Amino acid sequence: MKIHYGIIIIMCCLLNACQPASQNPRIYDSGISQELAELRKQEINELKYDLRLSIPKQKSMPVEGEIHVRFRLNKAQEVILDFREEADKIKEVSANGLPTSYEFRNEHIILPKNTTQKGENDIYIRFTAGNQSLNRNDEFLYTLLVPDRARTVFPCFEQPNLKASFTLQLDIPSEWVAVSNTYINKEEEREGRKSIYFAPTEPLSTYLFSFVAGKLEKQEYKEGSRKISAYYRETDPKKLAQLDTIFKQVMASLHWLEDYTGVSYPFAKYDFIILPGFQYGGMEHTGATLYNDNQMFLSEHPTPDEELRRTELIAHETAHMWFGDLVTMNWFDDVWTKEVFANYFAACISEPLYPDINHQLNRIKTFTASSLSEDRTPGTTSIRQPLDNLRNAGLIYGQIIYNKAPVMMIKLVELMGEDKFREGIREYLNTYAYSNATWNDLIRILDNKTAEDLAAFSDVWVNQKGMPTIRFAQKDGKLQICQEDPYHRGITWPQRFHVTLCGEQRDSILEVNLTDSLCTLPLPFPVRYILPNTDGRGYGLFIPDSHTLPWLLAHWQETADDTAREALLMLLYENYQAKHFTDEEWSSSLLTGLSKEKNPLIASTIIGYLGNPLRTLAFEKKQEMEEAMFRLSETHAIPSCRIQLLRSLIQNATSDRSLQKLYSIWTNQSGKQLNERDYTTLAYILSLRMPEKSKTLLTTQRQRLKNPDRLREFDFISRAVTPDTLELDALFRSLMLAENRRIEPWTATALSYLNHPARESYSIKYIRPALEALLDVQRTGDIFFPKNWVNALLSQHRSPEAYREVEAFFAAHPDYPVLLKNKILQAAYPLYRANRQK
């Protein structure tokens, strides 16, 4: 019997292996399985979409549409289109001019083999568009279709490696304007409506197709033969005056990229739209790049960080035109490849625009610090992550792909040399232009230009999660550097960095090339202190010897070199997170350093680090710290430091004396360089901290606002800071429904105020329901929203009760999806740190 069963099993396996790919049941799964994507890539060629949408003025009315999907097949066969809407949204389907039967299953329109033909095919579908990714507001709407949201608007083949030409017709109210990926061919007006016909696009993945329509203002800018346009809703003349700077930085980014890559701008036009409530900093749609208004229109007195962040954002989205748009990843497991190029080149593009900035310091402050913030958590991931279904692609995004990937790229360029790297990048772009490529495709090109083993380097840095713990010690006149893998896999991270040796008479710098788990180097003279990673090139948790660490905590601010001082400050912060010294020791060291600091970027880092101990210091020490911060906010030599200190106090101060000072600042609007957004935030925080004044605070602040979009935002968020617990509970319940959290930045802000430290014990009851809702948040939200949701929910909690709620949730869901679980663990890191032993 056993033999017979074994034979049967083998025969079944052979039969399954011989079945055509279309018989694989996973191709019919909800979402887009990798199996379906691979099958369609083999079968479908010369894809084109001809889309028409009729957009009513009232956002409550449906958007009606029709689409022709044209493509070639090598033979007649079953065709599976994607449409993530209800079945009744499909009004009519025909294939090659004839009405046809179809099956609608698991978000797919399935056309039988007998409806298609060898060669040209034309599938026509009349439908009602879904609202999820149309982002409809009273006076405007915009699409945001990354990574798999095009199928929520119209039927399509939703996968990045089926690029297509899109032709779009929009029917809109006559007083509206519209922007899309390409130029407008013609407009027709009749009876209060307007039809706009856009030219066909270059080959695009579905997630890059986009349009915006509504009441928007327009401003043009011309430089030489190139003209770009900005669309916006901002009304403040002081903010609109910044458009000239924004235009120039877009142009500078375009010129730099054309020069570096040797490839002219590869698309029809470059316009951008600045929108209130936009979910991301920016999104790289060709010809219609979208930006968040708060990140583009800065206050009248922006800090250096804010100015750099805007420039890098512009450069990042512009770099995507080549890296992501011209050459696109084959599947979203390689989505990081477009983000690593965008962030890496954004840093390069920004350098000549800010010649007085220390850019090595800025890179470690952004890339390294941001990636460490996620890599130290139990929810960390590798840069490249497996992806079985496109519906989960949004969960791959995070600090690892945005910031650890550039750290890796800098090391790769250092390994092979800048000239060879640039030569490889040019070959990569020319080889895969208007097509798709994988990370391995790039590595193969780069590998041919160097004797280094890039594949082995890539395997450790790209395919493995986590970071090394690197310990330093002196023994027998030698420096011992020990690299440990916290996950006990026996891997080592090859990297180079400087170590500064401090002796009685002199200091010296060693170049360390760490290629194994143990590196031993001779010490050239008697050494008192060993300072690791003083150039900031190294990555990981660097633990100095027991003699150096306390000395460094007391003396880091005496380091003359700015880059070394920032690197040592970041090293100490990681040791603080690892609980190698107390909150009181850390806060004292930070304040001492801040009082002497002359570099605004380092001062900004210090102020960012002050928030942690402010949460946990004993009352008297915390009050002393707040007083010291107030003094420095009035006397510090760096203007941006003064405003950043005041903003930190707004977020963190709790003593009666501090709150009264802040209330006086808000009442008299006397905070030097505070802007309208700062005063609005201050009104929210004071309403939480001084509930007896809540009504006055909110009523008065609302009267101060004039811009209608900011009034809408205020009316949404201010509900979360009322002292009325019945209203708070009602707001929380409303956020459990997808239709009430469409504007995701506002929703995350409201949820964070519901879980503010001022009401920590009350808000514990929100934790489990909000975690239970996370799957729906992922399903209905955009790519960053699941992480933003759990950050807003958990990042401010520290209590044992809150910790037990999260642990109970995991216990109740032992098979919870790993990608979502990682997001929770990343957000809950401060809570876990506070409730777990060292």
Side-chain angles (χ1 to χ4, degrees):
M1 291 290 290
K2 289 183 181 178
I3 294 174
H4 291 171
Y5 279 132
I7 292 172
I8 291 170
I9 290 170
I10 291 170
M11 290 179 66
C12 289
C13 291
L14 290 172
L15 286 170
N16 285 335
C18 294
Q19 284 182 336
S22 61
Q23 297 305 308
N24 186 331
R26 290 208 60 189
I27 68 172
Y28 303 107
D29 286 356
S30 297
I32 298 90
S33 68
Q34 195 165 12
E35 291 85 349
L36 174 59
E38 290 171 354
L39 175 67
R40 293 194 300 206
K41 179 60 178 174
Q42 296 170 14
E43 297 175 340
I44 294 169
N45 297 286
E46 300 178 28
L47 181 60
K48 297 178 181 179
Y49 296 107
D50 189 347
L51 175 64
R52 179 194 170 202
L53 294 169
S54 179
I55 301 171
K57 187 173 184 178
Q58 297 79 16
K59 69 176 183 178
S60 59
M61 295 180 64
V63 173
E64 302 295 345
E66 53 187 60
I67 189 168
H68 285 270
V69 185
R70 299 184 174 94
F71 53 92
R72 292 186 64 87
L73 293 174
N74 292 328
K75 61 181 179 180
Q77 58 195 270
E78 178 183 87
V79 169
I80 304 173
L81 287 143
D82 311 315
F83 189 49
R84 205 181 102 182
E85 272 300 329
E86 299 300 321
D88 62 3
K89 297 286 184 71
I90 304 169
K91 307 301 183 183
E92 180 184 349
V93 179
S94 66
N96 301 311
L98 298 174
T100 184
S101 61
Y102 64 90
E103 181 183 358
F104 186 68
R105 188 195 337 163
N106 292 341
E107 307 167 347
H108 299 300
I109 300 172
I110 304 168
L111 299 174
K113 177 180 177 180
N114 61 11
T115 65
T116 66
Q117 60 192 21
K118 180 180 178 180
E120 296 282 350
N121 286 265
D122 182 348
I123 309 302
Y124 169 80
I125 303 172
R126 188 167 57 84
F127 61 94
T128 300
N131 275 325
Q132 175 175 341
S133 301
L134 286 175
N135 298 284
R136 300 177 72 180
N137 294 266
D138 288 336
E139 294 184 338
F140 67 98
L141 61 79
Y142 59 91
T143 59
L144 185 58
L145 307 181
V146 62
D148 70 328
R149 300 297 195 261
R151 64 194 179 106
T152 70
V153 178
F154 56 89
C156 59
F157 297 114
E158 183 83 278
Q159 57 192 79
N161 61 1
L162 281 180
K163 289 192 169 185
S165 174
F166 291 79
T167 302
L168 174 66
Q169 177 188 338
L170 290 180
D171 298 331
I172 59 175
S174 59
E175 67 271 24
W176 286 19
V177 299
V179 194
S180 189
N181 303 97
T182 53
Y183 289 110
I184 295 172
N185 272 342
K186 66 175 181 177
E187 295 187 17
E188 297 174 344
E189 285 198 45
R190 65 174 69 87
E191 299 177 355
R193 301 281 293 172
K194 178 164 56 178
S195 294
I196 301 179
Y197 301 84
F198 292 91
T201 70
E202 298 84 357
L204 295 179
S205 301
T206 48
Y207 80 90
L208 292 169
F209 172 69
S210 183
F211 61 86
V212 181
K215 291 184 177 179
L216 301 166
E217 299 299 320
K218 177 182 178 181
Q219 186 169 323
E220 292 182 343
Y221 181 86
K222 190 172 183 180
E223 186 178 292
S225 61
R226 177 172 283 151
K227 182 176 71 174
I228 56 180
S229 299
Y231 297 83
Y232 53 88
R233 287 179 56 81
E234 182 57 63
T235 56
D236 185 343
K238 291 181 179 178
K239 290 185 176 181
L240 293 176
Q242 299 173 41
L243 279 172
D244 193 54
T245 298
I246 293 169
F247 280 128
K248 289 177 180 177
Q249 292 183 353
V250 169
M251 288 292 191
S253 299
L254 290 167
H255 293 321
W256 191 98
L257 285 155
E258 288 179 327
D259 178 66
Y260 186 92
T261 65
V263 177
S264 298
Y265 177 67
F267 297 100
K269 67 182 178 76
Y270 192 114
D271 293 340
F272 59 90
I273 306 97
I274 301 174
L275 295 167
F278 183 60
Q279 293 93 313
Y280 315 160
M283 179 58 204
E284 67 270 18
H285 308 121
T286 63
T289 298
L290 305 187
Y291 288 109
N292 176 280
D293 61 340
N294 292 328
Q295 296 204 36
M296 295 297 277
F297 291 127
L298 306 181
S299 64
E300 194 173 353
H301 303 285
T303 67
D305 299 77
E306 291 169 335
E307 290 188 289
L308 270 170
R309 190 158 53 241
R310 179 175 68 185
T311 303
E312 289 166 351
L313 173 61
I314 291 169
H316 175 108
E317 303 305 339
T318 308
H320 270 314
M321 302 299 141
W322 284 258
F323 302 96
D325 296 5
L326 176 63
V327 179
T328 309
M329 64 276 164
N330 190 64
W331 184 242
F332 263 82
D333 57 350
D334 268 337
V335 65
W336 69 275
T337 58
K338 74 184 183 75
E339 302 304 341
V340 65
F341 282 126
N343 257 3
Y344 175 78
F345 286 121
C348 299
I349 292 165
S350 300
E351 286 195 24
L353 300 177
Y354 293 89
D356 297 330
I357 290 289
N358 180 332
H359 289 280
Q360 168 63 5
L361 187 161
N362 187 51
R363 278 193 290 273
I364 65 174
K365 176 182 168 65
T366 51
F367 297 154
T368 306
S370 297
S371 55
L372 288 172
S373 72
E374 199 160 285
D375 227 1
R376 78 171 80 95
T377 76
T380 191
T381 67
S382 56
I383 293 175
R384 190 175 194 266
Q385 302 171 62
L387 180 68
D388 64 339
N389 193 300
L390 198 59
R391 66 185 174 191
N392 296 319
L395 298 176
I396 288 177
Y397 289 79
Q399 297 294 353
I400 297 300
I401 73 164
Y402 278 100
N403 291 302
K404 186 176 181 180
V407 169
M408 177 278 301
M409 186 68 81
I410 291 168
K411 295 181 184 302
L412 186 148
V413 174
E414 181 182 69
L415 191 64
M416 68 178 298
E418 174 61 47
D419 291 342
K420 293 297 183 183
F421 176 75
R422 183 178 184 179
E423 183 182 324
I425 291 301
R426 289 187 166 197
E427 182 178 334
Y428 167 79
L429 289 174
N430 283 294
T431 302
Y432 296 104
Y434 300 107
S435 185
N436 302 83
T438 67
W439 171 249
N440 289 335
D441 292 330
L442 173 62
I443 285 294
R444 279 192 291 271
I445 290 173
L446 297 179
D447 230 353
N448 288 330
K449 302 186 184 302
T450 177
E452 301 289 344
D453 188 350
L454 297 188
F457 171 89
S458 174
D459 184 59
V460 172
W461 280 99
V462 174
N463 297 328
Q464 307 297 331
K465 73 174 182 177
M467 62 183 183
T469 299
I470 304 174
R471 300 178 187 274
F472 296 76
Q474 287 191 64
K475 188 176 182 180
D476 301 327
K478 295 181 179 179
L479 169 61
Q480 288 189 343
I481 306 173
C482 181
Q483 180 180 182
E484 303 167 5
D485 173 15
Y487 295 100
H488 310 293
R489 297 159 297 183
I491 64 173
T492 57
W493 289 259
Q495 56 180 315
R496 295 184 174 99
F497 52 83
H498 285 170
V499 172
T500 299
L501 307 176
C502 302
E504 290 285 356
Q505 304 298 325
R506 64 190 178 99
D507 296 346
S508 179
I509 294 175
L510 285 181
E511 170 82 3
V512 174
N513 184 10
L514 190 61
T515 58
D516 209 339
S517 58
L518 180 64
C519 177
T520 303
L521 299 170
L523 293 172
F525 53 82
V527 173
R528 295 182 64 192
Y529 306 109
I530 299 168
L531 311 184
N533 195 31
T534 45
D535 59 350
R537 284 188 295 155
Y539 184 83
L541 171 58
F542 291 83
I543 303 179
D545 63 81
S546 58
H547 179 59
T548 297
L549 186 58
W551 178 86
L552 189 56
L553 185 64
H555 296 279
W556 65 270
Q557 66 275 7
E558 298 166 12
T559 305
D561 180 79
D562 285 355
T563 301
R565 194 163 66 257
E566 173 76 14
L568 292 173
L569 175 61
M570 289 167 54
L571 178 151
L572 287 168
Y573 181 65
E574 291 307 309
N575 279 268
Y576 164 72
Q577 290 291 347
K579 298 187 176 181
H580 292 162
F581 35 84
T582 67
D583 289 323
E584 188 171 338
E585 291 169 332
W586 180 230
S587 60
S588 175
S589 176
L590 290 174
L591 285 174
T592 300
L594 183 59
S595 64
K596 302 174 182 179
E597 188 53 59
K598 296 180 180 179
N599 185 302
L601 294 180
I602 301 176
S604 172
T605 299
I606 298 170
I607 294 166
Y609 288 163
L610 285 171
N612 285 279
L614 271 171
R615 282 294 310 273
T616 50
L617 280 173
F619 176 77
E620 288 186 2
K621 291 293 182 182
K622 177 176 168 58
Q623 186 164 294
E624 290 174 11
M625 188 174 175
E626 290 176 8
E627 291 294 331
M629 290 172 69
F630 266 116
R631 286 194 298 273
L632 286 171
S633 74
E634 295 169 350
T635 62
H636 203 285
I638 303 173
S640 63
C641 181
R642 297 196 294 271
I643 184 63
Q644 287 169 325
L645 275 164
L646 199 51
R647 286 171 178 163
S648 181
L649 284 162
I650 289 170
Q651 294 292 344
N652 298 297
T654 58
S655 71
D656 289 342
R657 194 180 309 169
S658 295
L659 292 175
Q660 287 300 328
K661 287 182 179 179
L662 291 172
Y663 184 71
S664 176
I665 289 171
W666 176 83
T667 301
N668 301 313
Q669 295 187 274
S670 57
K672 293 179 180 178
Q673 300 181 351
L674 284 183
N675 58 41
E676 180 185 77
R677 184 160 292 276
D678 292 321
Y679 282 113
T680 301
T681 300
L682 181 51
Y684 293 151
I685 299 296
L686 290 174
S687 184
L688 287 162
R689 295 290 186 188
M690 308 170 77
E692 72 282 359
K693 299 182 183 294
S694 176
K695 186 174 182 180
T696 298
L697 284 158
L698 299 179
T699 301
T700 303
Q701 188 60 33
R702 192 184 192 285
Q703 291 170 348
R704 292 174 175 177
L705 302 176
K706 305 303 179 187
N707 181 280
D709 292 323
R710 286 194 279 279
L711 276 169
R712 287 173 51 240
E713 179 181 2
F714 182 87
D715 289 341
F716 186 96
I717 293 171
S718 60
R719 299 174 298 162
V721 297
T722 174
D724 188 326
T725 56
L726 292 177
E727 291 185 21
L728 298 179
D729 292 348
L731 171 60
F732 178 77
R733 287 193 301 271
S734 76
L735 297 181
M736 297 300 100
L737 301 176
E739 60 265 29
N740 295 324
R741 49 178 191 251
R742 292 293 186 208
I743 303 182
E744 294 173 1
W746 301 357
T747 301
T749 302
L751 187 61
S752 72
Y753 285 140
L754 288 172
N755 289 274
H756 191 268
R759 49 168 67 118
E760 183 172 18
S761 59
Y762 184 81
S763 63
I764 287 169
K765 69 179 187 177
Y766 297 145
I767 292 176
R768 283 293 295 277
L771 289 177
E772 296 288 353
L774 185 56
L775 282 167
D776 188 60
V777 167
Q778 182 220 345
R779 185 182 65 83
T780 60
D782 284 300
I783 56 178
F784 300 120
F785 196 37
K787 177 65 180 296
N788 292 340
W789 177 268
V790 289
N791 266 344
L793 177 70
L794 298 176
S795 64
Q796 299 177 96
H797 282 281
R798 301 290 185 275
S799 70
E801 294 82 4
Y803 172 73
R804 287 194 289 271
E805 285 292 303
V806 177
E807 288 290 275
F809 173 80
F810 285 140
H813 300 280
D815 299 320
Y816 199 70
V818 172
L819 292 175
L820 271 180
K821 183 177 182 179
N822 286 338
K823 299 301 181 189
I824 298 172
L825 290 171
Q826 292 162 15
Y829 175 76
L831 178 60
Y832 274 51
R833 180 182 178 275
N835 287 277
R836 287 184 168 176
Q837 296 299 313
K838 178 178 173 181

